[in-house]
Amino acid sequence: VLFIAPRPFQMGLGRLGTGIGGIISNKKDKPLEELKTPKKKNVKPQVKYIAPCEGRVTSGFRTAKRPRHHGIDIAKSGKVDIMAVANGVVVRSYTSKSYGETVIIQHDENVQTLYAHMRKGSRIANGTQVKQGQVIGLMGNTGASRGHHLHFEVHFGKWNTKKSNAIDP
């Protein structure tokens, strides 16, 4: 079981593994802090990201049981703040039948993050400039959700319905 602490970590493109004392990638078991994003056109130096909330990862990215799950689910009981993982601007804040209360933030390096199933009435407004760690909503159970959690996605490029730009957080 993987626990996400509210301390900074870098999002890597490798799959998350398990490990004691932090998040470990499958790349020679180095902590994600030591990994670098593969070189792509127009990529600035890598940003340090933080966890979007406290809690336990209850469902991973594109697992064998859920190959169409293009993000991770993080759960924790009670009133749980959801935070912007890096500075950016809210490019979409809306309600979806499947995602429920949802926010998409555009960050530097051509990265967009999506936060879904937020508590009704808690999400931040469209067009808002956000700072890393700023609360953007509360964990909830809206849309096609089966319990109180955050569904979190990272996209290298713009979010799209085919999830073709989704990467493993």
Short mmCIF file of all heavy atoms in Angstrom, two decimals, residues 97-132:
data_model
loop_
_atom_site.label_atom_id
_atom_site.label_comp_id
_atom_site.label_asym_id
_atom_site.label_seq_id
_atom_site.Cartn_x
_atom_site.Cartn_y
_atom_site.Cartn_z
N LYS A 97 -20.99 14.20 -15.39
CA LYS A 97 -21.73 13.03 -14.92
C LYS A 97 -20.79 11.98 -14.36
O LYS A 97 -21.08 11.34 -13.36
CB LYS A 97 -22.56 12.42 -16.05
CG LYS A 97 -23.80 13.19 -16.37
CD LYS A 97 -24.65 12.48 -17.41
CE LYS A 97 -25.89 13.28 -17.71
NZ LYS A 97 -26.75 12.62 -18.70
N SER A 98 -19.65 11.77 -15.00
CA SER A 98 -18.72 10.75 -14.54
C SER A 98 -17.75 11.27 -13.48
O SER A 98 -17.55 10.64 -12.44
CB SER A 98 -17.94 10.16 -15.71
OG SER A 98 -17.23 11.18 -16.38
N TYR A 99 -17.10 12.41 -13.72
CA TYR A 99 -16.11 12.95 -12.80
C TYR A 99 -16.72 13.73 -11.63
O TYR A 99 -16.03 14.04 -10.67
CB TYR A 99 -15.15 13.89 -13.53
CG TYR A 99 -14.06 13.22 -14.33
CD1 TYR A 99 -13.70 13.73 -15.57
CD2 TYR A 99 -13.35 12.15 -13.85
CE1 TYR A 99 -12.68 13.16 -16.31
CE2 TYR A 99 -12.32 11.58 -14.57
CZ TYR A 99 -11.99 12.09 -15.80
OH TYR A 99 -10.96 11.53 -16.51
N GLY A 100 -17.97 14.10 -11.72
CA GLY A 100 -18.56 14.93 -10.69
C GLY A 100 -17.94 16.32 -10.70
O GLY A 100 -17.62 16.86 -11.75
N GLU A 101 -17.75 16.88 -9.51
CA GLU A 101 -17.14 18.21 -9.39
C GLU A 101 -15.66 18.10 -9.76
O GLU A 101 -14.91 17.36 -9.11
CB GLU A 101 -17.29 18.73 -7.96
CG GLU A 101 -18.74 18.88 -7.51
CD GLU A 101 -19.45 20.01 -8.21
OE1 GLU A 101 -18.90 21.12 -8.29
OE2 GLU A 101 -20.58 19.79 -8.68
N THR A 102 -15.25 18.81 -10.82
CA THR A 102 -13.93 18.62 -11.42
C THR A 102 -13.22 19.94 -11.67
O THR A 102 -13.84 20.93 -12.05
CB THR A 102 -14.08 17.88 -12.77
OG1 THR A 102 -14.78 16.66 -12.54
CG2 THR A 102 -12.74 17.58 -13.40
N VAL A 103 -11.90 19.92 -11.50
CA VAL A 103 -11.04 21.07 -11.80
C VAL A 103 -9.87 20.57 -12.63
O VAL A 103 -9.27 19.53 -12.34
CB VAL A 103 -10.53 21.74 -10.50
CG1 VAL A 103 -9.42 22.74 -10.79
CG2 VAL A 103 -11.66 22.40 -9.75
N ILE A 104 -9.53 21.33 -13.68
CA ILE A 104 -8.33 21.06 -14.48
C ILE A 104 -7.43 22.29 -14.39
O ILE A 104 -7.90 23.42 -14.62
CB ILE A 104 -8.66 20.74 -15.95
CG1 ILE A 104 -9.53 19.49 -16.04
CG2 ILE A 104 -7.37 20.56 -16.76
CD1 ILE A 104 -10.02 19.16 -17.45
N ILE A 105 -6.17 22.08 -14.05
CA ILE A 105 -5.20 23.17 -13.91
C ILE A 105 -4.11 23.01 -14.95
O ILE A 105 -3.56 21.92 -15.15
CB ILE A 105 -4.58 23.19 -12.50
CG1 ILE A 105 -5.68 23.42 -11.45
CG2 ILE A 105 -3.49 24.27 -12.40
CD1 ILE A 105 -5.19 23.35 -10.02
N GLN A 106 -3.77 24.12 -15.62
CA GLN A 106 -2.66 24.17 -16.56
C GLN A 106 -1.42 24.63 -15.81
O GLN A 106 -1.43 25.68 -15.16
CB GLN A 106 -2.96 25.14 -17.70
CG GLN A 106 -1.83 25.32 -18.70
CD GLN A 106 -1.61 24.06 -19.53
OE1 GLN A 106 -2.54 23.55 -20.14
NE2 GLN A 106 -0.38 23.58 -19.54
N HIS A 107 -0.35 23.83 -15.90
CA HIS A 107 0.92 24.16 -15.25
C HIS A 107 1.97 24.42 -16.32
O HIS A 107 1.75 24.17 -17.51
CB HIS A 107 1.39 22.98 -14.37
CG HIS A 107 0.38 22.55 -13.37
ND1 HIS A 107 0.14 23.23 -12.20
CD2 HIS A 107 -0.47 21.49 -13.37
CE1 HIS A 107 -0.80 22.61 -11.51
NE2 HIS A 107 -1.20 21.55 -12.20
N ASP A 108 3.15 24.87 -15.88
CA ASP A 108 4.28 25.00 -16.80
C ASP A 108 4.64 23.63 -17.34
O ASP A 108 4.15 22.61 -16.86
CB ASP A 108 5.50 25.58 -16.06
CG ASP A 108 5.33 27.06 -15.75
OD1 ASP A 108 4.49 27.72 -16.39
OD2 ASP A 108 6.05 27.56 -14.86
N GLU A 109 5.53 23.58 -18.29
CA GLU A 109 6.05 22.35 -18.89
C GLU A 109 4.98 21.57 -19.64
O GLU A 109 5.09 20.36 -19.81
CB GLU A 109 6.69 21.44 -17.84
CG GLU A 109 7.85 22.08 -17.14
CD GLU A 109 8.51 21.17 -16.13
OE1 GLU A 109 7.85 20.27 -15.58
OE2 GLU A 109 9.70 21.37 -15.88
N ASN A 110 3.90 22.25 -20.09
CA ASN A 110 2.86 21.60 -20.87
C ASN A 110 2.16 20.48 -20.09
O ASN A 110 1.84 19.43 -20.64
CB ASN A 110 3.44 21.06 -22.19
CG ASN A 110 2.37 20.79 -23.22
OD1 ASN A 110 1.30 21.39 -23.21
ND2 ASN A 110 2.65 19.87 -24.11
N VAL A 111 1.98 20.68 -18.79
CA VAL A 111 1.33 19.69 -17.93
C VAL A 111 -0.02 20.21 -17.47
O VAL A 111 -0.15 21.37 -17.08
CB VAL A 111 2.22 19.36 -16.70
CG1 VAL A 111 1.49 18.51 -15.68
CG2 VAL A 111 3.51 18.68 -17.15
N GLN A 112 -1.04 19.33 -17.52
CA GLN A 112 -2.35 19.63 -16.95
C GLN A 112 -2.65 18.57 -15.90
O GLN A 112 -2.34 17.39 -16.09
CB GLN A 112 -3.46 19.63 -18.00
CG GLN A 112 -3.43 20.85 -18.89
CD GLN A 112 -4.67 20.98 -19.76
OE1 GLN A 112 -5.46 20.05 -19.92
NE2 GLN A 112 -4.85 22.16 -20.33
N THR A 113 -3.25 19.01 -14.79
CA THR A 113 -3.68 18.08 -13.76
C THR A 113 -5.19 18.16 -13.60
O THR A 113 -5.77 19.24 -13.75
CB THR A 113 -2.98 18.35 -12.41
OG1 THR A 113 -3.15 19.74 -12.06
CG2 THR A 113 -1.51 18.01 -12.47
N LEU A 114 -5.80 17.02 -13.33
CA LEU A 114 -7.25 16.95 -13.17
C LEU A 114 -7.56 16.40 -11.78
O LEU A 114 -6.94 15.44 -11.33
CB LEU A 114 -7.84 16.02 -14.23
CG LEU A 114 -9.35 15.79 -14.17
CD1 LEU A 114 -9.94 15.78 -15.56
CD2 LEU A 114 -9.69 14.50 -13.44
N TYR A 115 -8.52 17.03 -11.12
CA TYR A 115 -8.94 16.66 -9.78
C TYR A 115 -10.45 16.41 -9.85
O TYR A 115 -11.21 17.32 -10.20
CB TYR A 115 -8.67 17.80 -8.80
CG TYR A 115 -7.25 18.36 -8.90
CD1 TYR A 115 -6.89 19.21 -9.95
CD2 TYR A 115 -6.30 18.04 -7.95
CE1 TYR A 115 -5.60 19.71 -10.05
CE2 TYR A 115 -5.01 18.55 -8.04
CZ TYR A 115 -4.67 19.39 -9.09
OH TYR A 115 -3.40 19.89 -9.18
N ALA A 116 -10.91 15.20 -9.52
CA ALA A 116 -12.32 14.86 -9.72
C ALA A 116 -12.96 14.27 -8.47
O ALA A 116 -12.28 13.81 -7.56
CB ALA A 116 -12.46 13.88 -10.88
N HIS A 117 -14.28 14.26 -8.46
CA HIS A 117 -15.16 13.75 -7.39
C HIS A 117 -15.12 14.65 -6.16
O HIS A 117 -15.38 14.19 -5.05
CB HIS A 117 -14.82 12.30 -7.02
CG HIS A 117 -14.83 11.35 -8.17
ND1 HIS A 117 -15.91 11.22 -9.01
CD2 HIS A 117 -13.89 10.48 -8.62
CE1 HIS A 117 -15.63 10.31 -9.92
NE2 HIS A 117 -14.41 9.86 -9.72
N MET A 118 -14.83 15.94 -6.35
CA MET A 118 -14.76 16.86 -5.22
C MET A 118 -16.14 17.08 -4.60
O MET A 118 -17.16 16.86 -5.25
CB MET A 118 -14.21 18.20 -5.69
CG MET A 118 -12.77 18.17 -6.08
SD MET A 118 -12.21 19.87 -6.07
CE MET A 118 -11.13 19.91 -7.42
N ARG A 119 -16.12 17.52 -3.37
CA ARG A 119 -17.36 17.81 -2.65
C ARG A 119 -18.13 18.93 -3.37
O ARG A 119 -17.53 19.91 -3.82
CB ARG A 119 -17.05 18.25 -1.22
CG ARG A 119 -18.31 18.49 -0.38
CD ARG A 119 -17.98 18.90 1.02
NE ARG A 119 -17.34 17.80 1.72
CZ ARG A 119 -16.92 17.87 2.97
NH1 ARG A 119 -17.04 19.00 3.65
NH2 ARG A 119 -16.35 16.84 3.55
N LYS A 120 -19.42 18.75 -3.49
CA LYS A 120 -20.27 19.73 -4.17
C LYS A 120 -20.12 21.11 -3.54
O LYS A 120 -20.13 21.25 -2.32
CB LYS A 120 -21.74 19.29 -4.11
CG LYS A 120 -22.65 20.15 -4.94
CD LYS A 120 -24.05 19.61 -4.99
CE LYS A 120 -24.88 20.51 -5.89
NZ LYS A 120 -26.21 19.98 -6.10
N GLY A 121 -19.93 22.11 -4.40
CA GLY A 121 -19.81 23.48 -3.95
C GLY A 121 -18.45 23.87 -3.41
O GLY A 121 -18.27 24.99 -2.95
N SER A 122 -17.46 22.98 -3.47
CA SER A 122 -16.16 23.30 -2.87
C SER A 122 -15.09 23.70 -3.88
O SER A 122 -14.05 24.21 -3.51
CB SER A 122 -15.64 22.09 -2.08
OG SER A 122 -15.20 21.05 -2.93
N ARG A 123 -15.34 23.47 -5.18
CA ARG A 123 -14.27 23.67 -6.16
C ARG A 123 -14.03 25.15 -6.48
O ARG A 123 -14.94 25.96 -6.46
CB ARG A 123 -14.55 22.86 -7.42
CG ARG A 123 -15.75 23.27 -8.20
CD ARG A 123 -15.98 22.35 -9.40
NE ARG A 123 -17.35 22.37 -9.82
CZ ARG A 123 -17.88 23.32 -10.57
NH1 ARG A 123 -17.14 24.30 -11.01
NH2 ARG A 123 -19.16 23.26 -10.90
N ILE A 124 -12.79 25.42 -6.83
CA ILE A 124 -12.33 26.76 -7.19
C ILE A 124 -12.88 27.15 -8.57
O ILE A 124 -13.19 26.29 -9.38
CB ILE A 124 -10.78 26.79 -7.13
CG1 ILE A 124 -10.26 28.21 -7.06
CG2 ILE A 124 -10.18 26.00 -8.27
CD1 ILE A 124 -8.81 28.28 -6.60
N ALA A 125 -12.96 28.45 -8.83
CA ALA A 125 -13.57 28.95 -10.07
C ALA A 125 -12.62 28.90 -11.27
O ALA A 125 -11.39 28.94 -11.12
CB ALA A 125 -14.03 30.39 -9.87
N ASN A 126 -13.23 28.80 -12.44
CA ASN A 126 -12.52 28.85 -13.72
C ASN A 126 -11.70 30.14 -13.82
O ASN A 126 -12.15 31.20 -13.40
CB ASN A 126 -13.57 28.82 -14.84
CG ASN A 126 -13.15 28.02 -16.01
OD1 ASN A 126 -12.19 27.28 -15.97
ND2 ASN A 126 -13.89 28.16 -17.09
N GLY A 127 -10.49 30.06 -14.38
CA GLY A 127 -9.66 31.24 -14.60
C GLY A 127 -8.83 31.67 -13.41
O GLY A 127 -8.02 32.60 -13.51
N THR A 128 -8.97 31.00 -12.27
CA THR A 128 -8.24 31.38 -11.06
C THR A 128 -6.76 31.00 -11.18
O THR A 128 -6.44 29.88 -11.56
CB THR A 128 -8.84 30.68 -9.82
OG1 THR A 128 -10.23 30.96 -9.74
CG2 THR A 128 -8.16 31.14 -8.54
N GLN A 129 -5.88 31.94 -10.87
CA GLN A 129 -4.44 31.66 -10.76
C GLN A 129 -4.24 30.97 -9.42
O GLN A 129 -4.73 31.46 -8.40
CB GLN A 129 -3.62 32.96 -10.79
CG GLN A 129 -3.65 33.68 -12.10
CD GLN A 129 -2.62 33.12 -13.08
OE1 GLN A 129 -1.68 32.43 -12.71
NE2 GLN A 129 -2.81 33.44 -14.34
N VAL A 130 -3.54 29.84 -9.40
CA VAL A 130 -3.32 29.12 -8.15
C VAL A 130 -1.84 28.97 -7.87
O VAL A 130 -1.02 28.90 -8.78
CB VAL A 130 -4.01 27.73 -8.15
CG1 VAL A 130 -5.51 27.87 -8.21
CG2 VAL A 130 -3.50 26.86 -9.29
N LYS A 131 -1.52 28.92 -6.61
CA LYS A 131 -0.15 28.69 -6.15
C LYS A 131 -0.06 27.26 -5.64
O LYS A 131 -1.04 26.68 -5.16
CB LYS A 131 0.20 29.65 -5.00
CG LYS A 131 0.24 31.10 -5.41
CD LYS A 131 1.47 31.37 -6.21
CE LYS A 131 1.58 32.85 -6.53
NZ LYS A 131 2.63 33.11 -7.49
N GLN A 132 1.11 26.68 -5.72
CA GLN A 132 1.33 25.34 -5.22
C GLN A 132 0.91 25.27 -3.75
O GLN A 132 1.25 26.14 -2.96
CB GLN A 132 2.81 24.97 -5.33
CG GLN A 132 3.11 23.55 -4.92
CD GLN A 132 4.57 23.21 -5.10
OE1 GLN A 132 5.43 23.89 -4.53
NE2 GLN A 132 4.85 22.19 -5.88
#
